[in-house]
Amino acid sequence: MPIDFEVGGVYLPPIAQALLLAMPLLFALLWLLQRLGVMQRVWHPALFEGALYSCICALIILFMGS
């Protein structure tokens, strides 16, 4: 079971931890996809980035639960 963190008097529930952890992973993955040329083939980059962020968050939450 995920634990709750308190940082500087601010309570971070597990969902907020997953959302914060997903941001650097998203940026690294987008950088890699840009370097490989995948982003030039994407029809709508903003929708793709949002969907990718959702998938990364979902995977983190699944791994946190186990």
Side-chain angles (χ1 to χ4, degrees):
M1 176 171 216
I3 58 172
D4 304 329
F5 285 121
E6 183 180 348
V7 178
V10 177
Y11 168 73
L12 285 175
I15 187 73
Q17 296 169 22
L19 293 174
L20 290 174
L21 181 61
M23 290 301 287
L25 294 175
L26 174 70
F27 292 142
L29 190 57
L30 286 175
W31 178 82
L32 179 66
L33 292 175
Q34 186 72 32
R35 297 281 293 172
L36 293 175
V38 175
M39 293 302 289
Q40 283 75 26
R41 300 189 182 278
V42 173
W43 171 69
H44 199 293
L47 288 177
F48 179 77
E49 290 174 12
L52 190 60
Y53 181 67
S54 298
C55 291
I56 292 171
C57 288
L59 285 173
I60 291 172
I61 292 169
L62 283 175
F63 284 125
M64 286 174 72
S66 58

